[in-house]
Amino acid sequence: MVQLSRILFRKYGNFVDNLRVYVRGGSGGMGLPRLGGHGGNGGDVWVVASKKVTLKKVKDKYPQKRFLAGAGANSSVRALKGERGEDKEILAPVGVTVTADDGKIVGDLNAEGDRLKVAKGGYGGSFHSAFQPTKGQIKQIRLDLKLIADLGLVGYPNAGKSSLLTAMSNATPQIADYAFTTLKPEIGKLMYKDYKQISVADLPGLIEGAHINKGMGHKFLKHVERTKQLMFVVDVSGFQLASKTPFRSAFEAIQLLTKELELFKEELVSKPALLVVNKMDLPDAEDKFAELKEQLQNPAEFSHLLADDMIPKNYMTFRHVVPVSALTGSGIDYLKSCMRESLDEDDAMENKDVHQQRLQRLQTLKHNSHTSI
């Protein structure tokens, strides 16, 4: 079996599957003692599910990641009952879990329009509080896109994804059922010697034109974003979907899959990815794999093989390119070690980011306590 070819380490992708934000309920308004006036209550902060947004859009639109509700109006001679402060809504994708800073789950947003109150506004000043208002709640919360698996298999129907999943997980993949989706992907679990588990989702096969919703196309693409990383699977000999569709080489298949992802949501192409070249037991497989490796080293040089509307804006770069045969089991163990390495690398990077955020927060608290003395 040809040794693994390692092609271009990618920078950590700009796909966003979790976001930490600062939320503050509005302060209550002052009461009016001489007339018994009641200040308005402060507004609340809500997270609202919307199919039109992604966490990346939220992050880009609000780089400060601060969401403040409006303050309640003070009681006055003209208006003894002060007006309530304005609520603040944070739009988040459907299928998000909201977690408080202490790790407690606030709730899930499983359907369009679902709402969760994440910071309550303060009370307006009244007779019971000596007409003094209270401040709104201040919190740091996390929005996490609920993932269905660590890795999602991306490939055309005959690439051998199901056989690969069965060969890797040594078991019949389970059918998963999720509250936030009607699609039920097959999930295979891989167990390592140190008991680490990795989950792999086999989503329905993609067909050309999936981004315009042919077949299960749109549902498939929506679920690609619910996996940490992508695993492209192609037949080393290429494929022909039907007698009326043109034959595609393995290289063309990779670019067409990339184009489909890009047309649906451009940021998907920046997810960390591995490439599995299947059916290495077929005649001439070694020669075809060598040709594919050469094409992947410099894809732009071979773009003339594709029609203009099939060339992706950005070519995928793969952390690992692994030749396997799901039929004979050749290369499967090596593939498993590559998957583990790729996921461990991202975990280490995420832990480093979390550590730096905590350090920053401690320094800010320290600075604030010094300045208030």
Side-chain angles (χ1 to χ4, degrees):
M1 182 61 72
V2 181
Q3 279 296 305
L4 158 94
S5 168
R6 222 171 148 78
I7 297 181
L8 294 173
F9 249 101
R10 63 161 66 249
K11 268 187 170 177
Y12 189 55
N14 68 352
F15 184 85
V16 178
D17 61 13
N18 66 74
L19 198 60
R20 197 162 168 276
V21 298
Y22 171 93
V23 292
R24 190 178 79 200
S27 296
M30 291 288 290
L32 189 62
R34 65 190 175 92
L35 296 175
H38 197 306
N41 291 340
D44 304 322
V45 183
W46 297 80
V47 181
V48 183
S50 165
K51 288 177 182 173
K52 292 177 181 171
V53 299
T54 65
L55 289 179
K56 185 173 188 305
K57 280 182 184 170
V58 178
K59 188 182 177 186
D60 290 348
K61 191 175 176 182
Y62 304 98
Q64 301 295 320
K65 295 179 286 186
R66 287 168 67 85
F67 297 90
L68 318 176
N74 295 337
S75 170
S76 65
V77 176
R78 285 183 184 173
L80 282 182
K81 174 79 173 107
E83 263 191 51
R84 191 178 181 282
E86 206 174 316
D87 285 354
K88 182 71 179 172
E89 290 188 348
I90 308 167
L91 293 183
V94 173
V96 151
T97 298
V98 181
T99 315
D101 224 16
D102 57 6
K104 283 183 186 163
I105 291 175
V106 178
D108 296 318
L109 300 171
N110 290 323
E112 176 85 16
D114 278 2
R115 300 166 66 81
L116 284 171
K117 191 187 288 185
V118 290
K120 192 171 164 42
Y123 292 109
S126 68
F127 174 77
H128 302 291
S129 63
F131 301 97
Q132 292 303 307
T134 59
K135 289 188 173 177
Q137 289 178 328
I138 294 176
K139 292 180 186 175
Q140 296 271 3
I141 58 165
R142 253 176 77 110
L143 307 175
D144 284 287
L145 193 67
K146 288 191 276 191
L147 298 177
I148 55 174
D150 295 310
L151 288 140
L153 298 179
V154 179
Y156 288 113
N158 70 333
K161 294 190 281 87
S162 296
S163 326
L164 180 67
L165 192 58
T166 305
M168 283 192 300
S169 51
N170 300 321
T172 309
Q174 298 294 305
I175 302 293
D177 198 352
Y178 294 96
F180 56 89
T181 170
T182 52
L183 188 68
K184 294 171 175 56
E186 286 196 317
I187 307 283
K189 293 269 196 264
L190 282 65
M191 177 77 87
Y192 289 80
K193 283 177 185 171
D194 61 355
Y195 302 107
K196 161 91 172 177
Q197 271 200 341
I198 284 177
S199 53
V200 183
D202 179 20
L203 304 161
L206 200 54
I207 56 169
E208 287 182 40
H211 70 280
I212 49 170
N213 220 356
K214 281 190 191 171
M216 292 291 278
H218 238 211
K219 284 184 178 175
F220 167 87
L221 290 164
K222 266 167 74 176
H223 288 76
V224 168
E225 60 186 318
R226 295 197 184 276
T227 59
K228 282 185 189 172
Q229 301 192 0
L230 305 179
M231 192 151 83
F232 278 47
V233 184
V234 295
D235 180 335
V236 69
S237 305
F239 80 103
Q240 189 171 12
L241 207 53
S243 54
K244 290 178 183 174
T245 58
F247 174 82
R248 306 285 188 202
S249 69
F251 174 74
E252 289 172 301
I254 292 163
Q255 305 317 328
L256 286 169
L257 288 167
T258 306
K259 185 71 177 173
E260 287 292 349
L261 293 180
E262 197 176 70
L263 288 169
F264 177 70
K265 202 161 282 180
E266 210 167 313
E267 62 206 70
L268 287 178
V269 182
S270 69
K271 265 182 183 276
L274 292 82
L275 172 64
V276 182
V277 184
N278 194 14
K279 306 191 183 177
M280 288 301 291
D281 51 282
L282 296 175
D284 303 329
E286 298 287 349
D287 293 341
K288 283 174 178 161
F289 181 64
E291 185 186 353
L292 175 61
K293 279 199 298 179
E294 188 190 337
Q295 290 168 327
L296 289 175
Q297 291 283 10
N298 199 346
E301 271 186 28
F302 297 90
S303 59
H304 63 274
L305 299 170
L306 295 161
D308 286 350
D309 61 350
M310 291 178 181
I311 300 169
K313 281 189 205 170
N314 296 294
Y315 293 103
M316 290 293 291
T317 53
F318 298 99
R319 288 184 169 181
H320 301 275
V321 177
V322 191
V324 304
S325 166
L327 186 69
T328 67
S330 175
I332 297 294
D333 284 341
Y334 191 62
L335 171 60
K336 285 182 180 179
S337 69
C338 292
M339 290 157 63
R340 174 76 188 262
E341 189 183 315
S342 185
L343 286 162
D344 283 353
E345 184 190 326
D346 281 357
D347 285 346
M349 208 174 290
E350 199 172 306
N351 289 339
K352 192 180 168 189
D353 285 348
V354 169
H355 180 69
Q356 280 176 332
Q357 279 177 1
R358 281 185 185 152
L359 211 63
Q360 222 169 356
R361 213 158 75 239
L362 282 170
Q363 284 168 341
T364 308
L365 287 169
K366 208 172 170 183
H367 173 73
N368 291 345
S369 64
H370 279 312
T371 51
S372 62
I373 291 171

